[in-house]
């Protein structure tokens, strides 16, 4: 430990830090190591010395007067210029909206979640490490124990570990969510900074009301410039993904049910939760109120929502109505709520989390009525009036009664901090989100939760001023509904009223001085003959609002209020006018600022030399990660990212010069070029055969190649909807390819290549399930060539043996899955484009629809011959060998399943579908939509197959 006056060395400082973490935070060794590592990753913060901080002038004071309880001096500005800045918004009364230019901008935008460590501790039950895979590190203790027990020198490898869950954050950016922008940023920042989850992806909700299909109405965008994802693309079948929706549930798409299909789909498969911005007592006012309130428990770690145990909290709810609804947990930003939900999801059945059973469909969007409309309806229902004056008086009296009722109801339901915040806001001449930050930070002591702000904004006491549709969220101005400000000011102490007025007035005046040219702000407010600078005329309303606030204080304040009314153009009340000599206006302080101008120096002799910009040429490589489009089965622990090249055939005349340079001209036809693009996707490696221990040991020292290893590459294909079949205008189209219809396909895994002869030979040597398999049936030999001369029954037997060997369910693709995977989100005849070439696929070499001619190879080719795949990462989808599918043959698509499932009948021996074309067939028969059939017992040297797997999960 360093003595006083000495500087502690690095070792002593670290020792002190470790001691504090152990004693104060009760951290164990791993947590201490992670904390020190995280500290090293953070960017350094440069601190400003106190003597170097600029001194902020105190805000100007209101008139110095004497009353029974003299008001305290004005509050100092809450920060210096060196602190972070954010926009300050100002509001006026119904007299008008303040000019945006005068809105103060010096009020900081503080974090709403002020203690990130508490948030992460609340989520600690979900921050577990899971064992995955075999691992690569030697477990020395287990190896030593095994040798001592068995006398065999065999290594024991420690399994790899990874976080239990990954997170998708779905952010509601609706109009009512602008006040929660900082809270949303805090949540994202905390989850990203600590890295406690396997993956974190953030999406914004975008509604396309004109979409034809319900699923397409909701798009989730990770970036405004990127294409959106359908919610089904983000499913994760293994339950190791948590969907968190950050919202106040007050947008129109919550009320009309647009988001319900998304939540229902997710809740049936994986944990889904709504992170509600509002306190619990306000939930019934949102779209959640149309659901059924429930208490949720759980005893299954990581359970999907439909597995949660629910207890209905409402009476007289029909049982059948409960059974058909999906439960959605709802939590706030409070640490205790997050802790309860985390423990509940982790399987602690003692914990209870509130939630709702959402309805099956939405309803009408509720119409908001103004306080004047409500008052008029009540007055007209009570009595009839003979003259307008009596009617107006009755309406005003009813408005006052409604205002008092709302204030009283708010006092009964709101938290103490929210009650104090709304009282102080009544004294603010302008009301905006940054003004609320100023008042909360300086006058609502000990409050860091964002919930009081939510309570005030959605209390029904505030209203948004009109004409602000295109205004930035921090510049939106609000005012109290009629009569509410007066009701609140009746009980607000005068000293607190003056304190709020001083703080806000100083902020507005500071901004005025930046835009006015020598005209003092106070002189402008008090003199109606002074002309305001262009664009700042609206500040007259600031004077009228301030007068409304000060007038009830009486005495000198009332006299000053009358002068403000006079300056704003409103006639003062004659009985309250007092002489100017009765009060004094303090002198305004001089404020220093820097003035800058842009001047033309072209005519100056000593002008600086012209700066020449140098254009640098460079190439931009774009990596498109298709797995981010929603691979619901992509458990990142089992998957690895791989790169591949996709290709598109384009007519040369359609390219501009830059594209032509980067494209490869076909050797067979100079009219067509191949555009190549490097992409990435996720794959799952199924290891069919591992090398022996001694082979691995020798290879480790570089003495032997790994020739024993045999793998099956399975590419993650994201789910989605596509149009199956071909249009009438497609060249060489056949009738059995129609009618076109929409099909929704769930995520799955598909073999990157057709099954090879080496893979076939290995599986054929496994234990028989239903029938025997020839170990080497193919006509064209080669370990890396596709297996052919296999029947549909042979392919099914292969899948069953592979499933038994790996413990995972493998099968043939359905016809819909095959076409969806082949197209890879294209709608052209081939995934290469409008035509095809033998430089990218193996077929008979004839031309298709004016495309290039090529050569016929007369046999199959190795599955990696061309080094090209479609956008999903799948190769050899066109040509080489036909591929068997599950489905029975139907000569038209009428009545075909729309969910991607196999189309079957009761006849076991009926013909089965084959797809993709082959090495000896015309290119028109290799199109994405082309379909044919054959007997399931038939074997042909152009028939092969590839396998699919729903997810890399272990069979029960």
């Amino acid at each position: 430990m360093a003595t006083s006056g000495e500087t502690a060395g690095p070792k002593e400082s670290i020792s002190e830090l470790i001691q504090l973490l152990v004693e104060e935070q009760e951290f164990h060794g791993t947590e201490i190591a992670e904390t020190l590592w995280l500290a090293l990753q953070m960017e350094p913060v440069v601190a400003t010395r106190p003597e170097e901080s600029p001194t902020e002038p105190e805000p100007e004071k209101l008139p110095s007067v004497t009353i029974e309880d003299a008001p305290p001096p004005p509050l100092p500005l809450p920060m210096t210029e060196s602190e972070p800045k954010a926009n300050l918004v100002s509001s006026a009364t119904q007299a008008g909206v303040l000019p945006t230019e005068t809105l103060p901008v010096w009020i900081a935008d503080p974090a709403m979640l002020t203690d990130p460590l508490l948030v992460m501790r609340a989520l600690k039950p979900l921050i577990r490490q899971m064992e995955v895979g075999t691992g690569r590190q030697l477990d020395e203790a287990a190896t030593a124990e095994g040798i001592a027990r068995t006398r065999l020198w065999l290594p024991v490898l420690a399994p790899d570990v990874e976080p239990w869950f990954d997170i998708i954050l779905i952010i509601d950016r609706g109009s009512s969510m602008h006040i929660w922008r900082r809270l949303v940023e805090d949540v994202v920042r905390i989850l990203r900074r600590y890295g406690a989850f396997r993956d974190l992806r953030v999406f914004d909700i975008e509604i396309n009301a004109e979409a034809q299909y319900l699923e397409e109405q909701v798009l989730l965008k990770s970036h405004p410039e990127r294409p959106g994802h359908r919610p089904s693309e983000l499913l994760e079948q293994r339950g190791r993904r948590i969907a968190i929706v950050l919202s106040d549930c007050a947008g129109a798409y919550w009320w009309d049910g647009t988001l319900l299909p998304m939540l229902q789909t997710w809740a049936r498969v994986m944990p889904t939760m709504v992170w509600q911005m509002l306190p619990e007592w306000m939930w019934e006012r949102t779209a959640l109120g149309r659901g059924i309130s429930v208490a949720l428990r759980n005893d299954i770690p990581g359970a999907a929502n439909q597995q949660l145990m629910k207890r209905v909290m409402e009476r007289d709810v029909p049982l059948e109505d409960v059974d058909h609804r999906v439960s959605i947990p709802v939590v706030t930003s409070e640490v205790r709520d997050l802790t309860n939900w985390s423990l509940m999801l982790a399987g602690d059945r003692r914990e209870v989390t509130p939630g709702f059973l959402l309805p099956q469909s939405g309803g009408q969007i509720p119409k908001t009525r103004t306080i004047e409309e409500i008052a008029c309806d009540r007055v007209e229902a009570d009595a009839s009036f003979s003259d307008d004056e009596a009617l107006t008086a009755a309406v005003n009296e009813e408005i006052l009664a409604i205002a008092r009722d709302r204030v009283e109801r708010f006092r009964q339901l709101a938290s103490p901090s929210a009650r104090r915040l709304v009282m102080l806001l009544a004294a603010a001449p302008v009301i905006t989100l940054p003004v609320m930050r100023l008042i909360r930070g300086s006058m609502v002591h000990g409050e860091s939760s964002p919930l009081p702000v939510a309570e005030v904004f959605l209390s029904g006491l505030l209203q948004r001023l009109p004409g602000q549709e295109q205004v930035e969220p921090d510049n939106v101005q609000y005012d109290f509904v009629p009569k509410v400000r007066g009701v609140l000011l009746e009980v607000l102490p005068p000293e607190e009223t003056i304190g709020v007025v001083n703080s806000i007035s100083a902020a507005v005046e500071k901004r005025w001085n930046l835009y006015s040219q020598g005209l003092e702000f106070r002189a402008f407010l008090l003199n109606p003959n002074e002309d305001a600078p262009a664009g700042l005329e609206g500040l007259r309303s600031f004077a009228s609002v301030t007068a409304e606030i000060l007038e009830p204080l009486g005495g000198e304040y009332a006299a000053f209020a009358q002068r403000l009314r006079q300056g704003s153009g409103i006639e003062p009340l004659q009985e309250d006018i007092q002489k100017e000599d009765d009060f004094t206006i303090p002198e305004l302080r001089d404020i220093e600022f820097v003035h800058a101008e842009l001047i033309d120096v072209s005519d100056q002799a000593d002008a600086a030399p012209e700066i020449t910009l140098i254009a640098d040429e460079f190439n931009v490589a774009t990596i498109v990660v298709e797995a981010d489009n929603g691979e619901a089965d992509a458990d990142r622990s089992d998957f690895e990212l791989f790169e591949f090249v996709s290709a598109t055939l384009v007519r040369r005349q359609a390219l501009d010069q830059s594209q032509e340079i980067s494209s490869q001209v076909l050797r067979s036809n100079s009219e067509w070029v191949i555009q190549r693009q490097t992409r990435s996707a996720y794959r799952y490696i199924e290891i069919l055969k591992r090398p022996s221990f001694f082979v691995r040991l020798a290879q480790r020292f570089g003495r032997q190649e790994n020739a024993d290893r045999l793998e099956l590459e399975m590419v993650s294909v994201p789910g989605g909807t596509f149009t199956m079949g071909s249009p009438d205008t497609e060249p060489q189209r056949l009738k059995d390819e129609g009618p076109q219809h929409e099909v929704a396909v769930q995520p799955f895994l598909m073999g990157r290549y057709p099954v090879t002869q080496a893979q076939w030979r290995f599986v054929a040597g496994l234990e028989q399930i239903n029938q025997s398999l020839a170990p080497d049936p193919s006509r064209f030999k080669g370990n890396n060539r596709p297996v052919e001369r296999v029947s549909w029954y042979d392919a099914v037997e292969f899948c069953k043996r592979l499933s038994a060997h790996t413990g995972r369910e493998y099968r043939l693709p359905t016809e819909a899955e095959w076409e969806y995977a082949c197209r890879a989100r294209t709608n052209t005849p081939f995934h290469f484009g409008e035509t095809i070439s033998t430089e990218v696929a193996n077929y008979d070499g004839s031309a298709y629809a004016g495309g290039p001619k090529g050569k016929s190879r007369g046999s199959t080719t190795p599955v990696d011959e061309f080094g090209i795949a479609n956008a999903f990462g799948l190769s050899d989808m066109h040509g080489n060998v036909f591929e068997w599918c599950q489905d029975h043959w139907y000569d038209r698509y009428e009545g075909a399943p729309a969910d991607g499932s196999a189309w079957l009948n009761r006849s076991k021996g009926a013909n089965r579908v084959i797809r993709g074309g082959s090495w000896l067939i015309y290119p028109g028969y290799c199109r994405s939509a082309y379909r044919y059939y054959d007997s399931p017992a038939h074997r042909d040297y152009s028939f092969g197959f590839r396998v699919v797997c729903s997810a890399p999960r272990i069979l029960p």
Side-chain angles (χ1 to χ4, degrees):
M1 301 289 289
T3 60
S4 60
E6 296 180 355
T7 301
K11 293 183 178 180
E12 290 82 0
S13 300
I14 293 176
S15 299
E16 292 179 17
L17 175 60
I18 293 175
Q19 184 177 357
L20 287 174
L21 292 176
V22 173
E23 295 176 355
E24 301 293 335
Q25 303 296 334
E26 298 181 356
F27 278 16
H28 55 69
T30 302
E31 291 176 328
I32 293 175
E34 291 176 348
T35 302
L36 295 176
W37 174 87
L38 182 61
L40 293 175
Q41 311 307 310
M42 295 181 179
E43 296 182 1
V45 178
V46 180
T48 304
R49 296 181 179 179
E51 62 269 20
E52 296 177 354
S53 301
T55 303
E56 187 73 41
E58 293 185 358
E60 299 301 326
K61 301 180 180 180
L62 287 170
S64 175
V65 297
T66 303
I67 57 177
E68 294 182 2
D69 295 324
L75 292 172
L77 295 180
M79 65 190 65
T80 63
E81 288 294 331
S82 64
E83 292 178 314
K85 310 292 190 295
N87 287 337
L88 168 68
V89 188
S90 304
S91 149
T93 65
Q94 296 152 341
V97 179
L98 296 187
T100 304
E101 290 79 7
T102 63
L103 301 180
V105 296
W106 51 268
I107 295 178
D109 187 3
M112 286 189 167
L113 294 178
T114 56
D115 197 336
L117 187 57
L118 288 180
V119 175
M120 295 309 299
R121 284 181 174 174
L123 299 176
K124 189 174 182 179
L126 306 179
I127 306 174
R128 301 180 185 175
Q129 297 292 319
M130 296 190 65
E131 295 182 355
V132 292
T134 305
R136 300 178 181 178
Q137 294 185 352
L138 183 68
D139 188 335
E140 296 181 1
T143 301
E145 181 181 352
I147 293 173
R149 186 177 64 254
T150 64
R151 303 294 182 181
L152 297 176
W153 288 74
L154 297 177
V156 178
L157 300 179
D160 291 334
V161 295
E162 68 171 10
W164 185 8
F165 287 109
D166 62 51
I167 301 286
I168 54 173
L169 282 179
I170 311 300
I171 300 176
D172 184 352
R173 301 288 186 183
S175 58
S176 62
M177 282 290 293
H178 72 273
I179 61 177
W180 308 117
R181 182 171 57 183
R182 182 53 197 262
L183 178 58
V184 169
E185 292 174 356
D186 289 346
V187 173
V188 176
R189 172 178 52 83
I190 291 172
L191 294 180
R192 277 182 173 162
R193 174 176 294 179
Y194 283 85
F197 296 95
R198 191 169 72 245
D199 187 22
L200 174 68
R201 289 191 289 170
V202 182
F203 300 91
D204 290 345
I205 297 176
E206 182 177 287
I207 303 299
N208 180 15
E210 299 180 356
Q212 182 178 1
Y213 300 98
L214 186 61
E215 184 186 3
E216 298 176 353
Q217 290 185 359
V218 179
L219 291 179
L220 304 176
K221 287 194 170 185
S222 59
H223 189 276
E225 302 300 326
R226 296 174 184 171
H229 307 291
R230 297 186 182 93
S232 60
E233 296 176 359
L234 300 180
L235 286 174
E236 205 280 325
Q237 302 289 343
R238 301 182 64 187
R240 294 187 58 191
R241 175 173 296 162
I242 301 176
I244 300 178
V245 182
L246 284 79
S247 176
D248 59 4
C249 303
Y253 36 80
W254 283 93
W255 291 100
D256 63 18
T258 303
L259 294 185
L260 288 178
M262 176 185 78
L263 296 174
Q264 292 166 352
T265 300
W266 288 350
R268 293 187 180 98
V269 178
M270 60 189 185
T272 305
M273 177 264 279
V274 171
W275 191 318
Q276 175 60 266
M277 305 291 103
L278 309 179
E280 187 171 355
W281 70 270
M282 304 186 75
W283 292 353
E284 291 290 340
R285 298 185 181 182
T286 68
L288 295 176
R290 288 184 172 171
I292 301 173
S293 178
V294 292
L296 301 174
R297 295 179 184 271
N298 174 45
D299 56 2
I300 305 174
N305 290 25
Q306 69 174 0
Q307 298 174 296
L308 302 179
M309 297 177 287
K310 48 186 176 287
R311 179 164 62 89
V312 177
M313 306 302 291
E314 302 176 11
R315 296 183 178 180
D316 302 327
V317 177
L319 183 60
E320 59 273 12
D321 199 16
V322 174
D323 294 338
H324 290 85
R325 297 191 181 196
V326 176
S327 56
I328 301 292
V330 182
V331 302
T332 68
S333 302
E334 296 293 318
V335 171
R336 65 177 183 275
D337 291 347
L338 292 173
T339 302
N340 292 342
W341 169 74
S342 299
L343 290 170
M344 184 273 295
L345 182 57
D348 189 344
R349 63 179 305 157
R350 297 171 298 179
E351 299 298 332
V352 178
T353 298
F356 287 88
L357 299 177
L358 299 183
Q360 297 294 310
S361 58
Q364 292 185 347
I365 302 174
K367 181 182 178 181
T368 303
R369 303 179 66 204
T370 65
I371 192 172
E372 295 93 336
E373 293 173 340
I374 298 174
C376 289
D377 290 345
R378 291 184 181 180
V379 169
E380 292 176 1
D382 290 342
S384 59
F385 297 88
S386 57
D387 57 84
D388 292 341
E389 292 184 3
L391 177 60
T392 302
V395 170
N396 287 334
E397 184 178 347
E398 190 63 35
I399 290 176
L400 180 59
I402 296 173
R404 293 187 184 279
D405 290 342
R406 289 190 179 184
V407 171
E408 183 61 29
R409 185 170 65 252
F410 182 78
R411 287 175 179 169
Q412 294 174 357
L413 297 176
S415 64
S417 298
R419 293 199 296 268
R420 176 164 174 76
L421 182 58
V422 79
M423 295 290 293
L424 295 172
L425 280 177
V430 291
I431 301 176
T432 60
L433 186 57
V435 166
M436 193 173 295
R437 296 180 194 132
L438 167 66
I439 296 175
R440 187 188 70 166
S442 60
M443 305 185 73
V444 184
H445 302 293
E447 180 56 58
S448 60
S449 170
L451 293 183
V453 179
E455 295 179 76
V456 171
F457 264 105
L458 298 177
S459 62
L461 304 180
L462 291 176
Q463 62 184 0
R464 180 171 176 160
L465 295 179
Q468 302 183 92
E469 290 75 13
Q470 305 299 324
V471 178
E472 288 292 322
D474 268 4
N475 289 335
V476 175
Q477 303 174 39
Y478 299 84
D479 189 21
F480 286 97
V481 299
K483 307 295 184 181
V484 166
R485 188 191 293 269
V487 173
L488 294 172
L489 289 175
E490 291 176 359
V491 294
L492 185 65
E495 59 270 19
E496 292 191 338
T497 301
I498 298 303
V500 174
V501 172
N502 275 328
S503 298
I504 307 304
S505 300
V508 175
E509 184 172 10
K510 182 178 179 181
R511 289 291 291 169
W512 164 276
N513 291 333
L514 296 178
Y515 286 90
S516 65
Q517 299 178 353
L519 179 61
E520 293 183 347
F521 181 55
R522 190 174 298 270
F524 165 73
L525 292 182
L526 295 178
N527 188 353
N529 297 321
E530 288 284 2
D531 294 329
L536 304 184
E537 298 85 353
L539 271 177
R540 292 288 181 193
S541 62
F542 181 87
S544 63
V545 181
T546 307
E548 179 186 346
I549 296 170
L550 295 178
E551 198 166 41
L553 299 180
E556 306 296 339
Y557 291 105
F560 186 68
Q562 293 303 325
R563 293 199 62 196
L564 288 174
R565 286 183 181 276
Q566 192 174 25
S568 65
I570 302 176
E571 290 297 325
L573 301 176
Q574 296 298 324
E575 60 271 21
D576 292 333
I577 295 181
Q578 299 184 13
K579 297 180 180 180
E580 293 186 17
D581 296 336
D582 290 343
F583 65 93
T584 59
I585 301 177
E587 293 295 328
L588 298 178
R589 293 177 180 267
D590 292 332
I591 300 177
E592 296 183 359
F593 60 93
V594 177
H595 177 69
E597 294 183 2
L598 294 173
I599 36 180
D600 187 0
V601 298
S602 59
D603 298 331
Q604 299 184 14
D606 56 348
E610 181 181 0
I611 299 176
T612 304
L613 298 178
I614 301 176
D616 188 13
E617 297 184 358
F618 59 95
N619 295 325
V620 177
T622 302
I623 298 178
V624 181
V625 183
E626 290 293 345
D628 281 345
N629 290 339
E631 71 293 352
D633 51 281
D635 175 357
R636 301 295 172 82
S637 64
D638 299 323
F639 284 66
E640 65 180 30
L641 195 66
F642 75 103
E643 291 187 355
F644 58 92
V645 175
S646 63
T648 305
L649 271 66
V650 184
R651 286 187 183 273
R652 191 172 185 178
Q653 63 186 19
L655 298 177
D656 57 34
Q657 185 175 2
S658 62
Q659 289 176 313
E660 185 172 349
I661 293 174
S662 62
S663 303
Q664 172 191 346
V665 180
L666 290 180
R667 294 186 295 269
S668 58
N669 190 322
S670 60
E671 183 183 359
W672 293 86
V673 297
I674 303 175
Q675 287 186 317
R676 299 176 186 266
Q677 183 178 13
T678 300
R679 298 175 180 263
S680 298
Y682 281 93
R683 65 182 176 184
Y684 173 73
I685 303 296
E686 185 71 83
I687 300 176
L688 302 181
K689 180 182 179 183
R690 296 180 181 274
S692 67
F693 170 73
F694 297 102
V695 171
R696 296 199 302 271
L697 185 62
Q699 183 189 15
R700 191 170 183 180
F701 292 94
R703 287 183 286 179
Q704 182 175 335
E705 293 293 333
N706 186 4
D708 288 8
R709 187 182 180 93
L710 183 61
E711 299 175 344
L712 175 64
E713 290 185 62
M714 302 296 294
V715 176
S716 175
V717 178
T721 302
F722 80 110
T723 301
M724 189 172 181
S726 61
D728 295 336
T729 56
E730 186 168 303
Q732 301 184 25
R733 176 189 187 270
L734 301 177
K735 291 183 179 180
D736 55 34
E737 298 168 20
Q740 286 186 292
H741 58 291
E742 293 290 321
V743 179
V745 179
Q746 296 300 314
F748 61 99
L749 305 177
M750 175 175 267
R752 183 177 180 183
Y753 308 107
V755 172
T756 66
Q757 296 177 30
Q759 293 164 345
W760 173 272
R761 192 179 303 113
F762 173 81
V763 174
L766 298 176
E767 183 178 356
Q768 177 177 325
I769 303 295
N770 291 327
Q771 67 177 56
S772 61
L773 294 177
D776 194 11
S778 303
R779 175 178 177 179
F780 307 105
K781 306 300 182 182
N783 285 339
N784 209 30
R785 289 178 184 256
V787 67
E788 18 91 9
R789 295 211 312 189
V790 292
S791 69
W792 184 89
Y793 293 127
D794 295 334
V796 171
E797 175 69 12
F798 177 98
C799 293
K800 291 182 178 180
R801 295 191 189 186
L802 181 60
S803 300
H805 175 70
T806 62
R808 280 168 281 276
E809 183 180 0
Y810 285 90
R811 57 178 174 81
L812 293 177
T814 67
E815 187 178 13
E817 288 174 337
W818 192 97
E819 184 171 334
Y820 174 77
C822 178
R823 289 187 178 278
R825 297 199 173 99
T826 64
N827 55 12
T828 49
F830 309 90
H831 65 67
F832 300 114
E834 297 293 340
T835 190
I836 194 172
S837 164
T838 56
E839 294 184 28
V840 294
N842 181 19
Y843 57 98
D844 75 345
S846 59
Y848 173 80
K853 291 184 178 181
K855 64 178 181 179
S856 175
R857 293 176 172 84
S859 68
T860 61
T861 53
V863 293
D864 56 355
E865 173 77 5
F866 303 99
I868 290 176
N870 66 11
F872 286 161
L874 302 171
S875 299
D876 277 3
M877 298 299 290
H878 298 300
N880 216 6
V881 290
F882 275 107
E883 297 177 15
W884 288 108
C885 296
Q886 284 190 40
D887 305 51
H888 286 116
W889 170 258
Y890 291 84
D891 57 7
R892 294 284 288 172
Y893 278 136
E894 284 94 354
D899 60 357
S901 60
W903 195 6
L904 305 174
N905 58 42
R906 297 182 180 180
S907 176
K908 294 183 179 180
N911 291 331
R912 300 282 179 165
V913 174
I914 53 175
R915 284 295 203 123
S918 76
W919 58 272
L920 56 71
I921 209 74
Y922 303 123
Y925 293 169
C926 299
R927 292 176 296 114
S928 299
Y930 177 78
R931 52 197 300 262
Y932 199 60
Y933 62 90
D934 213 318
S935 166
H938 182 66
R939 297 183 177 95
D940 190 278
Y941 50 54
S942 63
F943 287 8
F945 68 101
R946 72 178 75 206
V947 297
V948 302
C949 180
S950 297
R953 59 181 184 273
I954 301 298
L955 293 175

